Amino acid sequence: MSIYLYRLTFHGPVHFGKTGIGLENTEDRLSSDSLSSAIINAFSVLGEADQVVKALCTDKPPFILSSLFPFGPIGEAKELYYALPRPLCEPHITDNRILKNMGKDIKRVRYLQPQDFGRWIEDKPLTEDELRKIIERSQKLAKPCDEGNKNGWWIQDLRPRAALDRMSQNSALWLCGALYFADQAGLYGLVNFHDENWKPRLSTAFRVLGDMGLGGERTYGMGSFCFSEFESPGPEWQSLLCSKENSSKKVLLSLYHPLKKELSDLDQQLEAWDLVERKGYIVSGRDATTLKRQRVWMFTEGSVAKGPLKGLMVDVTPDNAVSLGLVHRVYRSGLAFLLPSGGLV
């Protein structure tokens, strides 16, 4: 198996930007395009940015990263639980009355345990009792801490900040959202290596990124983390990663932007999906000024396909980049990481 799991445990607060006005909102996970860009910046520190970008833009990229999702303990148990995004398709139920009666409970599910994720997309129908237990287990995953809930995985807080007008020196108070992960909690990801020679290089890049920080507000000390190294996924993952016979569905664990040749039959390949607009600024360690990158739409994590998807690195370099002082091309990862199989086809 060439799929590995890794965990990031954060030394302090993190801020992962969320669509909205200001910086008050923060996500509890990080999408694969942002993670890939951060890794490329870490490779830039090592002097290997051009090499890794060139490799990822080939027909067979050496590795594909999933998005980062939360993990943590439940109750007093020392075992760690991993949260996977709920597939956007409905579970396979033969009696539609069950779906009608439990529809609201199903819509509230955000994350599933790996075993339940696999059962959700299996072609074998779920019974009402099985579906009810899956929903009950999902309610224990990825919960914020509060006074009545000692088992949460994070605390969300607002940090006060002040902005000064350059001319008048008048001050304005504003707030920035921050996420503090609990002990033994953090974010995890999956990576599928097509070329395992890249494993030690990617491991080094993650350790460098841990010192640089991940997400926003890094200049204020947010986002630094400890990298766990790549390890084989536990037994709860084996059937989900290895078995392709139990399900005719494949679920995205990353953002996905189709290749030009994939567009023609995309409506036949996708069964359930959602789209998200990705936009923002270029933050490069390679002699670039802060510029807006081109907007791009991508399919989200949890989208369901009937067959393999590939995707590409999307060129989002702004027009007239050279005249603006940007001396290299800028990419966002739309490479598909799928379960089962990992996405390499």
Side-chain angles (χ1 to χ4, degrees):
M1 182 187 299
S2 59
I3 298 179
Y4 296 89
L5 182 147
Y6 59 93
R7 293 182 301 277
L8 311 182
T9 49
F10 293 89
H11 303 308
V14 299
H15 174 86
F16 301 132
K18 192 174 182 179
T19 301
I21 300 174
L23 298 178
E24 289 89 349
N25 296 323
T26 180
E27 294 274 13
D28 57 13
R29 61 192 194 187
L30 186 70
S31 290
S32 56
D33 65 332
S34 298
L35 175 63
S36 298
S37 296
I39 281 293
I40 290 171
N41 274 341
F43 273 109
S44 175
V45 173
L46 300 170
E48 301 177 11
D50 291 332
Q51 190 177 357
V52 69
V53 168
K54 185 178 179 181
L56 290 174
C57 290
T58 59
D59 191 49
K60 287 188 177 179
F63 60 85
I64 296 180
L65 297 169
S66 76
S67 298
L68 296 176
F69 304 108
F71 75 89
I74 295 178
E76 301 296 328
K78 295 182 179 178
E79 181 184 0
L80 295 178
Y81 291 81
Y82 297 94
L84 280 167
R86 176 178 65 85
L88 295 179
C89 64
E90 292 179 341
H92 189 187
I93 300 284
T94 53
D95 188 347
N96 286 333
R97 290 175 298 179
I98 298 174
L99 284 177
K100 186 175 181 181
N101 294 335
M102 301 175 68
K104 290 184 178 178
D105 293 330
I106 293 173
K107 287 182 179 178
R108 291 193 191 101
V109 174
R110 288 193 66 210
Y111 293 110
L112 295 170
Q113 295 182 32
Q115 306 95 318
D116 294 336
F117 183 96
R119 193 69 185 90
W120 192 283
I121 61 174
E122 270 188 23
D123 295 329
K124 180 183 174 184
L126 285 166
T127 65
E128 182 176 2
D129 186 52
E130 282 180 307
L131 180 57
R132 194 176 303 281
K133 287 180 179 177
I134 287 175
I135 293 173
E136 288 175 1
R137 286 193 288 269
S138 75
Q139 293 170 348
K140 299 176 182 177
L141 296 171
K143 294 174 70 69
C145 302
D146 57 43
E147 292 183 358
N149 174 21
K150 303 296 183 183
N151 299 322
W153 290 2
W154 62 73
I155 295 173
Q156 190 164 351
D157 193 17
L158 290 173
R159 303 181 78 180
R161 301 271 295 278
L164 290 177
D165 185 279
R166 291 184 180 180
M167 300 299 292
S168 65
Q169 294 297 300
N170 289 333
S171 63
L173 180 69
W174 59 283
L175 300 172
C176 176
L179 216 62
Y180 295 80
F181 283 99
D183 291 342
Q184 296 185 301
L187 297 178
Y188 78 95
L190 297 168
V191 55
N192 194 359
F193 286 99
H194 187 270
D195 180 355
E196 293 224 22
N197 291 325
W198 280 77
K199 188 177 171 184
R201 299 172 66 179
L202 187 60
S203 176
T204 302
F206 265 108
R207 288 197 296 272
V208 172
L209 183 60
D211 294 332
M212 295 168 61
L214 189 60
E217 302 299 293
R218 296 187 299 278
T219 53
Y220 296 93
M222 294 192 187
S224 63
F225 62 83
C226 180
F227 172 60
S228 70
E229 297 294 342
F230 300 121
E231 58 190 55
S232 296
E236 70 271 30
W237 291 89
Q238 297 308 311
S239 62
L240 182 59
L241 294 175
C242 299
S243 175
K244 302 177 184 177
E245 291 79 17
N246 295 334
S247 175
S248 56
K249 299 181 175 67
K250 294 179 180 293
V251 182
L252 276 171
L253 291 190
S254 66
L255 296 186
Y256 161 66
H257 192 282
L259 288 161
K260 191 174 182 179
K261 63 182 180 182
E262 292 178 309
L263 289 173
S264 57
D265 61 346
L266 206 56
D267 57 338
Q268 301 295 322
Q269 283 282 26
L270 290 172
E271 178 178 323
W273 67 89
D274 199 1
L275 291 165
V276 63
E277 184 184 32
R278 305 299 286 173
K279 59 184 180 180
Y281 291 89
I282 300 166
V283 181
S284 171
R286 290 186 287 166
D287 304 322
T289 55
T290 302
L291 303 170
K292 278 188 177 180
R293 62 176 184 264
Q294 292 192 33
R295 300 182 180 197
V296 61
W297 286 86
M298 296 198 190
F299 292 93
T300 64
E301 301 94 339
S303 297
V304 181
K306 300 173 185 173
L309 303 173
K310 194 162 186 176
L312 78 164
M313 296 288 286
V314 188
D315 191 334
V316 293
T317 310
D319 296 332
N320 304 320
V322 175
S323 62
L324 295 172
L326 186 63
V327 296
H328 59 81
R329 307 301 295 177
V330 180
Y331 296 88
R332 299 293 286 187
S333 175
L335 298 172
F337 189 107
L338 293 162
L339 278 185
S341 87
L344 291 172
V345 294

